[in-house]
Amino acid sequence: MTDEFDDTLPDADMDAFEAASLRLSVDLGALADNWRGMNTRSGKARASAVVKADAYGLGIEDCGSTLYHAGARDFFVATAAEGVTLRPHAPEARIFVLSGIWPGQERQIFNNDLVPVIASEEQLSFWMGTLADRGEHPFALHVDTGFNRLGLPLDDALYLADDPTRPASFDPVLVLSHLACADTPSSPMNRVQLESFRRVSEAFEGIESSLSASAGIFLGPDYHFDLTRPGITLYGGEAVNEMANPMRPVAKAEARIIQIREAGEGQTVSYGGTFLLKRASRLAIAAVGYADGYHRSLSGSGIPLREMGYGGAYGFINGYEVPVAGRVTMDLTIFDVTDVPANAIRAGDYIELFGPNVPVDEAARAAGTIGYEMLTGLGLRYERQYLIDDE
Ligand SMILES: *Cc1c(COP(=O)(O)O)cnc(C)c1O
C-alpha cells in the first residue's frame, strides 16, 4: 500500500462531469443571449447584470465573464466579497455592492474599485468620513419608494438632494430604488413607486437613475430610466407571473439513477410509508436529495403541501415525465418510472430535475417556492459544466 491513489484505475481519465452522480450544466451561450435580450427590452436604457449569490447559484466567475463579454459593463452583487470574486472577470466594469460598505470593508471596496450602494443615514455618514480620509471614490444611493427594505426614506433623499450643508464629496454616480410588485403588472403599487422614483430622479438631475429589475423591465419604457438591473431572467427564470417565459433556459440539473427496483402493488415507498403503490411499479432511485436543494417539499406524498392537494415534482428521462414517489430524502429521491419502457431506462442513466424539459419555475412551484430559491439553493455536490456557444 502506498498513500498515493492508484491513478491507473480505469476511471482516472474519465471526465468528472461524465462520471458525476449529480451534475449541473450551465449554457453560457443562452446566458449571453438572455442578457442581450434584456438589454434590447430595456430600450433606451442600458442593462446591467445582477450576479449576486454566486450568479443565482450558477457560478459568478464563469457567468460574470460571459456577461462581460456579451457587453455588460455594470454589475450588481450583494456583498463586497462577491465583488472581489467578480473583479478579475469583469475588469473594466462598474461593480455595485448592494449592501453598501461597513467598517473593515474599506480595503475590499477601494482595492477592487467596487461601488458601494449607500442605503441609510448611518452608512452615508460612515462613507462621508471614509471619503474625507481616503479621497474620492464613486458610490450609489439607494432610495426606498415603498418596499420597506433597503434605502433612504423618500423624504430624506429628496431633502438631501437640495441640502446646501451636505459635504462636497456627496456626489453619487447612480440613484436607485427597487419595485415590490413588478411581477404583478396590474398592481397599483407599481405606479405609486414609479411616481415617487420620478421625484427622486428629478431631484438628482444629471445623475443616472435605475428602478427596474427583471420584472420591471416588462412594465415598459416608463420604468426603464438610465440603467436596468435584470437578474433572474438572465439565468432563464420567470420574472412576471402568468406571462409565458420568453427566456432561454440556462441551467440543467441531472441526477444519476443508482438503482432501479421493482415493487409490488400495496407496498409503500420512502420514509413514513406515505406513498402507497396502486400497481406493480418500477422505481428509479436517483442521487439527489434535499441536501442538494431538491427540497423535501418536492415530495410526492407525506408532506403538508401534498395534503393540501398540490402535485409533487417530476423529472424527465428519454421523453417521459416521471413523478417523485414518496418523500425526498437527504441524498436520494425515488421516481416512479413504471410508464417508461424497460428498454428506455437503466441504472446509470440521468434524470433531468430541471432544465429544457422541466422548467425550473415549474419544479419550484411543486415545492411551493420560486425559481430564484431553487437556483440559489443548489448546494455543493453538483459537478458543474459550462457550455460555450460556437458563435
Ligand atoms: C436581486 C435584485 C435585482 C435583480 O432582481 P431580479 O428579479 O432577479 O431581476 C435587482 N435589484 C436589486 C436591488 C436586487 O436586490
Side-chain angles (χ1 to χ4, degrees):
M1 286 288 289
T2 67
D3 38 29
E4 300 277 302
F5 287 105
D6 180 358
D7 61 7
T8 65
L9 285 172
D11 69 343
D13 6 291
M14 198 163 176
D15 188 85
F17 186 79
E18 294 299 317
S21 299
L22 189 58
R23 61 194 199 181
L24 182 78
S25 29
V26 179
D27 183 342
L28 296 174
L31 175 71
D33 245 15
N34 285 344
W35 181 81
R36 285 187 286 262
M38 293 310 284
N39 192 39
T40 304
R41 278 176 218 275
S42 298
K44 295 201 186 83
R46 310 192 296 288
S48 68
V50 180
V51 296
K52 61 195 182 184
D54 199 28
Y56 290 47
L58 302 186
I60 192 170
E61 297 178 301
D62 292 270
C63 292
S65 112
T66 298
L67 292 162
Y68 185 78
H69 289 291
R73 287 296 176 274
D74 300 274
F75 287 81
F76 285 85
V77 292
T79 66
E82 291 176 339
V84 173
T85 309
L86 175 63
R87 175 47 81 202
H89 305 282
E92 306 274 299
R94 282 202 301 194
I95 301 176
F96 294 94
V97 180
L98 288 165
S99 57
I101 179 170
W102 291 88
Q105 297 177 343
E106 297 90 333
R107 282 240 302 242
Q108 285 177 309
I109 295 281
F110 280 81
N111 292 0
N112 295 281
D113 202 9
L114 308 179
V115 184
V117 180
I118 303 298
S120 68
E121 286 292 347
E122 300 92 292
Q123 261 192 351
L124 186 60
S125 59
F126 171 67
W127 179 243
M128 290 295 113
T130 307
L131 291 184
D133 291 345
R134 293 191 173 237
E136 278 183 27
H137 190 87
F139 71 97
L141 197 65
H142 196 152
V143 181
D144 188 89
T145 51
F147 200 117
N148 275 316
R149 193 175 62 170
L150 283 181
L152 287 178
L154 177 66
D155 289 338
D156 295 7
L158 293 174
Y159 180 82
L160 197 58
D162 293 321
D163 181 3
T165 68
R166 68 185 200 192
S169 56
F170 180 86
D171 187 18
V173 296
L174 182 75
V175 285
L176 67 98
S177 190
H178 194 50
L179 295 167
C181 304
D183 62 353
T184 309
S186 62
S187 169
M189 184 85 166
N190 294 322
R191 276 272 142 200
V192 172
Q193 287 195 267
L194 175 63
E195 292 313 324
S196 297
F197 191 65
R198 278 196 173 133
R199 293 173 62 202
V200 174
S201 152
E202 278 158 24
F204 288 91
E205 209 207 321
I207 293 169
E208 288 200 318
S209 53
S210 173
L211 177 62
S212 287
S214 295
I217 294 167
F218 291 94
L219 292 175
D222 283 358
Y223 288 81
H224 294 164
F225 293 87
D226 299 303
L227 184 71
T228 59
R229 307 188 306 271
I232 192 69
T233 42
L234 307 181
Y235 310 102
E238 277 178 30
V240 182
N241 297 328
E242 284 156 38
M243 182 186 84
N245 184 352
M247 312 316 293
R248 287 178 61 186
V250 171
K252 178 163 84 165
E254 297 170 299
R256 174 164 264 168
I257 298 171
I258 56 180
Q259 184 175 9
I260 292 183
R261 61 189 314 121
E262 307 290 334
E265 183 185 342
Q267 295 185 7
T268 64
V269 179
S270 196
Y271 283 124
T274 61
F275 192 85
L276 178 67
L277 297 177
K278 298 194 180 109
R279 57 176 177 172
S281 303
R282 192 176 319 110
L283 304 173
I285 321 304
V288 62
Y290 57 74
D292 308 299
Y294 204 65
H295 300 255
R296 189 167 175 276
S297 49
L298 293 163
S299 296
S301 63
I303 55 151
L305 260 178
R306 295 295 92 85
E307 282 152 26
M308 290 158 66
Y310 297 102
Y314 64 90
F316 184 89
I317 180 162
N318 281 336
Y320 293 85
E321 291 181 355
V322 291
V324 174
R327 285 185 185 149
V328 172
T329 71
M330 186 185 295
D331 315 306
L332 296 166
T333 297
I334 301 140
F335 291 88
D336 182 343
V337 298
T338 314
D339 295 331
V340 183
N343 63 0
I345 187 169
R346 53 181 188 164
D349 288 351
Y350 289 89
I351 293 184
E352 178 182 323
L353 307 170
F354 61 79
N357 301 293
V358 183
V360 64
D361 291 279
E362 193 155 318
R365 271 189 284 279
T369 185
I370 53 178
Y372 297 73
E373 194 181 24
M374 287 287 290
L375 291 177
T376 57
L378 289 174
L380 305 172
R381 292 199 289 203
Y382 286 85
E383 185 69 38
R384 282 143 197 268
Q385 172 183 256
Y386 292 91
L387 305 170
I388 300 160
D389 241 7
D390 346 307
E391 62 163 332

